[in-house]
Amino acid sequence: MPKITTRARRALTEERRKQILAAAAQVFAAKGFERATIADIARHAGVAEGSIYNYFKNKDDLLISIPRQIVTPPIETVTARLQLLATETAEPEQLLLTIATAFTTVFRQNADVFRILLSALPTLKPAAREKYMRQVVSYAIGALETYLAQQIQCGVFRRDANPQHLARFLVGMFFPYIMLHDILQVEFDADWDYEQIIPEAVTLFLRGALAA
Amino acid sequence: MPKITTRARRALTEERRKQILAAAAQVFAAKGFERATIADIARHAGVAEGSIYNYFKNKDDLLISIPRQIVTPPIETVTARLQLLATETAEPEQLLLTIATAFTTVFRQNADVFRILLSALPTLKPAAREKYMRQVVSYAIGALETYLAQQIQCGVFRRDANPQHLARFLVGMFFPYIMLHDILQVEFDADWDYEQIIPEAVTLFLRGALAA
Amino acid sequence: MPKITTRARRALTEERRKQILAAAAQVFAAKGFERATIADIARHAGVAEGSIYNYFKNKDDLLISIPRQIVTPPIETVTARLQLLATETAEPEQLLLTIATAFTTVFRQNADVFRILLSALPTLKPAAREKYMRQVVSYAIGALETYLAQQIQCGVFRRDANPQHLARFLVGMFFPYIMLHDILQVEFDADWDYEQIIPEAVTLFLRGALAA
Amino acid sequence: MPKITTRARRALTEERRKQILAAAAQVFAAKGFERATIADIARHAGVAEGSIYNYFKNKDDLLISIPRQIVTPPIETVTARLQLLATETAEPEQLLLTIATAFTTVFRQNADVFRILLSALPTLKPAAREKYMRQVVSYAIGALETYLAQQIQCGVFRRDANPQHLARFLVGMFFPYIMLHDILQVEFDADWDYEQIIPEAVTLFLRGALAA
DNA sequence: CATGAATGAGCATTCATTCAT
DNA sequence: GATGAATGAATGCTCATTCAT
């Protein structure tokens, strides 16, 4: 009996924690970290203000708990898919298109969270900042780096290329679009879409821009 | 001779305004917009708190005055240099190297300001946000787009390329580095430098990543 | 037993609200609305500054909540007594003496509040101003008007008299004294007292000033 | 020469003083003493903020200078007219009608100033408050008291009446109307006018309210 | 005397956090 | 664990007053 009760209680606790964190992410994304209030978050989560402090040490703790609980899962999903793809598909073009599509999709679906990170990270202490960016970056680019390193060794890509740099270059090509369109939600630069951009970028990445 | 007096006073006023704005930019960059206090800014500027309100309507006004006074000038300098180069230099590689170097340099020297914009823009009203991003983006990329459009017409670059996209792709390649290293000041990804990165990126942009 | 808890909490809440409002009335009366500070009021009420905002929206809200909670009750008491008297006493002189005494007493006991209203009402918005004056005036004079109208119909008072005007004339006779002595607390005009004034005024009101 | 210059300068100075005081009265009347700012007053007067301090010690000094310069003149005019009338007219009814009309007219034309006094006097120090109320009261009622005292001695008014009280009773009858209509500018009590009220009040004052 | 920029004390209001119930 | 009233430090902004020009 006590075992089940304890287990059930733990599950409930974990559930409540996620519920609060999801509310926090939502409110942070909408108002920015500093303008979001604990009262806001409590209202969105359907709990009392004081209850939040049973699950999180303080407001900062809410913020730095978001990546682990909310950012990490979707990135891990993508990463897993990429590792699978890398072993199956022979054609680099096809694989990079898939990677790029998955990558931009994750960013776009979680633009709210990245907006939070952007607005709040500068105010965090350097150590915490580095810890969380390291998580995000390695999750996001790790699999791509590994794949590119393999392909360089196989001779598919130029032998003198640096796989870490290649990975960043490829991913970076989408940054201007993601930043403006999805994170900052600026709309003046709008006569394009990702389905058109992604093949162009991948082609440029593989073949270069020169004519001949 | 009211003229001289007036002129002298205007110059002083303008000087003081810049002094306060520079202090604001500095403090915003260090602490983020919301955590920066007027008292901080006044102390950095060497004026009394109340004096700030002789030059700016309120704290928001300080923020949105920064781009015009601080971001725009260096970008204009670079833009002017590019237009000069475009008419002189024939070799695209050389020109793109110069462009990329200038571009990353401007970002790096004004990383503080971009950090402010990134953390504060999401909390601004959409209209103000769009207005300021439009300024920054078109200043930053306009000249590059023009150059690429010319080169596409000349047949130097692939005829099927879109100059707007090309410009964003090239600039984007440096984003991961600028974001992590200069804006977020994360140091874990530090075994590289711009002198090494820039030629690699330009080469990739021109020739592609494939081996053959 | 949530019922009792809820009821008890409500009573406490209401109690605290009254306590704060009483403190506000006191401080407003002593210093005037604008010179009174929230810190003052909190100190007088024995609560923290922030607590005041759990019960009132802002400083203005404190002001406009005063009439309903503080002015109205004593006026209602007097009004009730008058209605009772009107049915019992036949003699107009006796009744008007009682009315006048009650009326001046209410004003004098709540002079603080009327001082607040006088000094703060001009700065309120016209709509709010009118709303609150209407409350005060009709409470204060309504019963007297009704009585006078009856007596005019009975032929006790001149048939050509207007009961609304009569009521205002009678009440007005005490205004110079109330204003100077109780509201403005000017003491130079002090060789008189209400016990002496009231019969004189009532006599004048009933018989006129002429000798014959 | 110096004499004339000095005289002219003095006249100019006096002129400027009045101009500032008039602006202050206007702004105080519109916003209340506390909400009026020196900048407001300076703008209305067409001078620089600092200049005001060449003519007045501080903001309070502006307030307490208003009665002497602005309230007193119109009251003196009325007082003079009354003294003239008192010697000419035999009929008390006629004279009191004239007095009452003049009195209410002065109040109505200077309602702004009286509004200032009402809103600001409570915040003044008792000594200053008393000084200025004494001025206003004796100017306003002095002549009426004198007249009534004479008429009592002549046997026109009841011998047992107190002229000071009579004067206050008569004047007080108009207070409810002046306060609500002209000072507080409340409009809900509006189906009357002074031409109708004044004769009613004077008749009541002379003959009383009783029927017989 | 006139000016108006500089000053800084003063205040209303917000909000993260605590804790008695 | 849950609640939400109480707390009080922190902060943006105002404005009377001063003073160098």
Side-chain angles (χ1 to χ4, degrees):
Chain A
M1 269 284 284
K3 227 177 186 173
I4 290 175
T5 308
T6 303
R7 204 181 287 164
R9 174 168 295 175
R10 255 196 212 156
L12 271 176
T13 293
E14 190 53 32
E15 203 48 49
R16 188 69 71 105
R17 206 188 125 91
K18 279 183 186 164
Q19 167 192 4
I20 292 171
L21 207 54
Q26 204 177 332
V27 177
F28 287 162
K31 302 192 161 189
F33 177 71
E34 304 283 352
R35 301 204 184 200
T37 69
I38 295 291
D40 267 344
I41 295 169
R43 209 177 314 119
H44 269 79
V47 301
E49 292 179 50
S51 302
I52 291 177
Y53 291 85
N54 290 329
Y55 297 90
F56 298 92
K57 215 179 93 200
N58 53 31
K59 198 183 173 188
D60 279 357
D61 191 28
L62 276 170
L63 179 66
I64 62 183
S65 299
I66 288 177
R68 189 186 303 265
Q69 298 263 349
I70 301 192
V71 180
T72 308
I75 292 184
E76 281 180 334
T77 309
V78 173
T79 300
R81 276 182 56 203
L82 298 194
Q83 285 173 332
L84 212 70
L85 274 172
T87 59
E88 289 176 359
T89 318
E91 191 58 50
E93 179 151 14
Q94 192 52 46
L95 188 124
L96 289 185
L97 281 174
T98 309
I99 287 180
T101 303
F103 192 86
T104 53
T105 303
V106 167
F107 261 104
R108 296 173 66 194
Q109 284 175 343
N110 297 88
D112 283 356
V113 176
F114 289 105
R115 203 179 308 132
I116 301 168
L117 289 178
L118 266 184
S119 77
L121 277 173
T123 73
L124 283 186
K125 291 171 197 153
R129 195 162 58 201
E130 227 171 286
K131 181 175 163 200
Y132 290 99
M133 283 314 296
R134 192 191 298 271
Q135 278 188 21
V136 171
V137 171
S138 47
Y139 272 125
I141 304 206
L144 184 55
E145 283 180 12
T146 308
Y147 167 75
L148 291 170
Q150 289 168 354
Q151 298 299 310
I152 288 169
Q153 279 204 328
C154 301
V156 176
F157 288 107
R158 295 171 182 265
R159 288 209 173 269
D160 60 348
N162 178 327
Q164 288 187 5
H165 296 176
L166 280 191
R168 281 158 180 73
F169 291 153
L170 177 58
V171 162
M173 286 178 172
F174 303 107
F175 264 45
Y177 299 95
I178 291 169
M179 282 291 296
L180 289 177
H181 185 261
D182 299 301
I183 312 262
L184 298 178
Q185 292 178 307
V186 167
E187 289 175 356
F188 67 83
D189 199 44
D191 47 343
W192 57 271
D193 65 41
Y194 282 109
E195 295 198 10
Q196 177 191 355
I197 292 298
I198 291 172
E200 282 186 42
V202 168
T203 301
L204 177 65
F205 181 82
L206 292 172
R207 315 253 155 68
L210 290 178
Chain B
M1 296 251 285
K3 229 175 183 176
I4 289 177
T5 308
T6 303
R7 206 181 284 166
R9 175 165 292 178
R10 271 220 191 126
L12 273 176
T13 293
E14 191 53 34
E15 204 48 51
R16 190 69 72 110
R17 207 188 123 91
K18 279 183 186 162
Q19 165 193 3
I20 292 170
L21 207 53
Q26 202 177 333
V27 178
F28 287 161
K31 303 194 163 189
F33 177 70
E34 306 280 354
R35 299 207 179 182
T37 69
I38 296 292
D40 271 343
I41 296 170
R43 208 177 315 118
H44 271 79
V47 301
E49 287 183 50
S51 300
I52 290 178
Y53 292 88
N54 290 333
Y55 297 90
F56 298 91
K57 220 179 88 198
N58 52 32
K59 200 182 169 190
D60 279 1
D61 192 27
L62 277 170
L63 178 66
I64 64 181
S65 298
I66 287 176
R68 190 184 301 265
Q69 297 263 350
I70 302 192
V71 180
T72 308
I75 292 183
E76 278 179 337
T77 309
V78 172
T79 299
R81 276 181 55 204
L82 299 194
Q83 285 171 332
L84 211 71
L85 275 173
T87 59
E88 289 175 358
T89 317
E91 192 59 52
E93 179 152 11
Q94 190 52 45
L95 188 126
L96 289 186
L97 281 174
T98 309
I99 287 180
T101 304
F103 195 86
T104 53
T105 303
V106 167
F107 261 103
R108 296 173 65 196
Q109 284 175 344
N110 298 89
D112 284 355
V113 175
F114 288 104
R115 200 180 310 130
I116 302 167
L117 290 178
L118 271 183
S119 74
L121 275 174
T123 75
L124 284 185
K125 291 172 197 152
R129 195 164 57 202
E130 207 154 315
K131 183 177 163 199
Y132 290 99
M133 284 312 297
R134 193 192 296 271
Q135 280 189 20
V136 171
V137 171
S138 46
Y139 272 123
I141 304 208
L144 182 56
E145 282 181 13
T146 309
Y147 168 75
L148 290 171
Q150 288 168 351
Q151 299 300 309
I152 288 169
Q153 277 204 326
C154 303
V156 175
F157 288 105
R158 294 170 184 266
R159 288 211 175 266
D160 61 347
N162 178 326
Q164 289 187 7
H165 296 175
L166 281 191
R168 281 159 180 72
F169 291 152
L170 178 58
V171 163
M173 286 179 172
F174 303 106
F175 265 44
Y177 298 95
I178 290 169
M179 281 292 296
L180 290 177
H181 185 261
D182 299 300
I183 311 262
L184 298 178
Q185 292 178 305
V186 166
E187 290 175 355
F188 67 83
D189 200 41
D191 48 342
W192 56 270
D193 65 42
Y194 282 108
E195 295 198 10
Q196 174 192 357
I197 292 298
I198 291 172
E200 281 187 43
V202 168
T203 301
L204 176 65
F205 181 82
L206 292 172
R207 315 254 154 68
L210 290 179
Chain C
M1 299 249 289
K3 230 176 184 176
I4 289 176
T5 308
T6 303
R7 205 180 284 166
R9 174 166 291 177
R10 268 216 193 132
L12 274 175
T13 293
E14 191 52 34
E15 205 48 50
R16 189 69 71 109
R17 208 188 122 92
K18 279 184 185 162
Q19 165 193 5
I20 292 171
L21 207 53
Q26 204 177 332
V27 177
F28 286 163
K31 303 195 162 188
F33 176 71
E34 306 281 355
R35 299 207 179 183
T37 68
I38 295 292
D40 271 343
I41 296 169
R43 210 176 314 117
H44 271 79
V47 300
E49 289 182 50
S51 301
I52 290 178
Y53 292 87
N54 290 333
Y55 296 90
F56 298 92
K57 221 180 88 199
N58 53 32
K59 199 182 171 189
D60 279 0
D61 192 28
L62 277 171
L63 179 66
I64 63 182
S65 299
I66 287 176
R68 190 184 301 264
Q69 297 262 351
I70 301 193
V71 180
T72 308
I75 292 184
E76 279 180 334
T77 309
V78 173
T79 298
R81 276 181 54 203
L82 298 194
Q83 284 172 333
L84 211 68
L85 275 172
T87 60
E88 290 176 357
T89 316
E91 193 58 53
E93 180 153 13
Q94 191 52 45
L95 189 127
L96 289 186
L97 282 173
T98 310
I99 287 180
T101 303
F103 195 86
T104 52
T105 303
V106 167
F107 260 104
R108 296 173 66 197
Q109 283 175 345
N110 297 91
D112 285 355
V113 174
F114 289 104
R115 199 179 311 129
I116 302 166
L117 288 178
L118 271 182
S119 74
L121 275 174
T123 72
L124 284 186
K125 290 172 197 154
R129 196 164 57 202
E130 208 155 316
K131 182 177 163 199
Y132 290 99
M133 283 315 294
R134 192 190 296 269
Q135 277 189 23
V136 172
V137 172
S138 46
Y139 271 123
I141 303 207
L144 183 55
E145 283 180 12
T146 308
Y147 167 75
L148 292 170
Q150 288 168 353
Q151 299 299 309
I152 289 169
Q153 277 205 327
C154 302
V156 176
F157 288 104
R158 296 170 182 264
R159 287 209 175 269
D160 60 347
N162 178 327
Q164 289 186 6
H165 296 176
L166 282 191
R168 281 159 180 71
F169 291 152
L170 178 58
V171 163
M173 286 179 172
F174 303 105
F175 265 45
Y177 299 95
I178 291 168
M179 282 291 296
L180 288 178
H181 185 259
D182 299 301
I183 312 263
L184 297 178
Q185 292 178 304
V186 165
E187 291 175 356
F188 66 84
D189 198 41
D191 48 344
W192 57 271
D193 64 42
Y194 282 108
E195 295 196 11
Q196 175 191 355
I197 292 298
I198 291 172
E200 282 187 43
V202 168
T203 300
L204 176 65
F205 181 82
L206 292 172
R207 316 253 154 69
L210 290 179
Chain D
M1 269 283 283
K3 230 177 187 175
I4 291 175
T5 308
T6 303
R7 204 181 287 165
R9 176 169 293 177
R10 256 195 210 155
L12 271 176
T13 293
E14 191 53 32
E15 203 49 48
R16 188 70 72 105
R17 206 188 125 91
K18 279 182 186 164
Q19 167 192 3
I20 291 170
L21 207 54
Q26 203 177 334
V27 178
F28 287 162
K31 302 193 163 189
F33 177 71
E34 304 283 351
R35 300 203 185 200
T37 68
I38 295 291
D40 268 343
I41 296 168
R43 209 177 313 119
H44 270 79
V47 302
E49 292 179 50
S51 302
I52 291 177
Y53 290 85
N54 291 328
Y55 297 90
F56 298 92
K57 215 179 94 200
N58 53 31
K59 197 184 172 189
D60 279 357
D61 191 29
L62 275 170
L63 179 67
I64 62 184
S65 300
I66 286 177
R68 189 185 304 264
Q69 298 264 348
I70 301 193
V71 180
T72 308
I75 291 184
E76 280 180 335
T77 309
V78 173
T79 300
R81 276 181 56 203
L82 298 193
Q83 284 173 333
L84 212 68
L85 274 173
T87 60
E88 290 175 357
T89 316
E91 191 59 52
E93 180 152 12
Q94 191 52 47
L95 189 124
L96 290 184
L97 283 173
T98 309
I99 287 180
T101 304
F103 193 85
T104 52
T105 304
V106 167
F107 261 103
R108 296 173 67 196
Q109 284 174 344
N110 296 88
D112 283 355
V113 176
F114 289 105
R115 204 179 307 131
I116 300 167
L117 288 179
L118 266 184
S119 78
L121 277 173
T123 74
L124 282 186
K125 291 171 197 154
R129 195 162 58 200
E130 230 172 282
K131 180 176 164 200
Y132 290 99
M133 283 316 294
R134 192 192 298 271
Q135 278 189 22
V136 171
V137 171
S138 48
Y139 273 123
I141 305 207
L144 184 55
E145 282 180 13
T146 308
Y147 168 75
L148 291 171
Q150 289 167 354
Q151 299 299 309
I152 288 169
Q153 278 203 328
C154 303
V156 175
F157 288 105
R158 296 169 183 265
R159 286 211 174 267
D160 61 346
N162 178 328
Q164 288 187 6
H165 296 176
L166 281 192
R168 281 159 179 73
F169 292 153
L170 178 58
V171 163
M173 287 178 171
F174 303 107
F175 265 45
Y177 299 94
I178 290 169
M179 281 292 296
L180 289 177
H181 186 260
D182 299 301
I183 312 261
L184 297 179
Q185 292 178 306
V186 168
E187 289 174 357
F188 66 84
D189 200 42
D191 48 344
W192 58 270
D193 65 43
Y194 282 109
E195 296 199 9
Q196 176 191 355
I197 292 298
I198 291 172
E200 282 187 41
V202 168
T203 301
L204 176 65
F205 181 81
L206 291 172
R207 318 251 153 71
L210 290 179

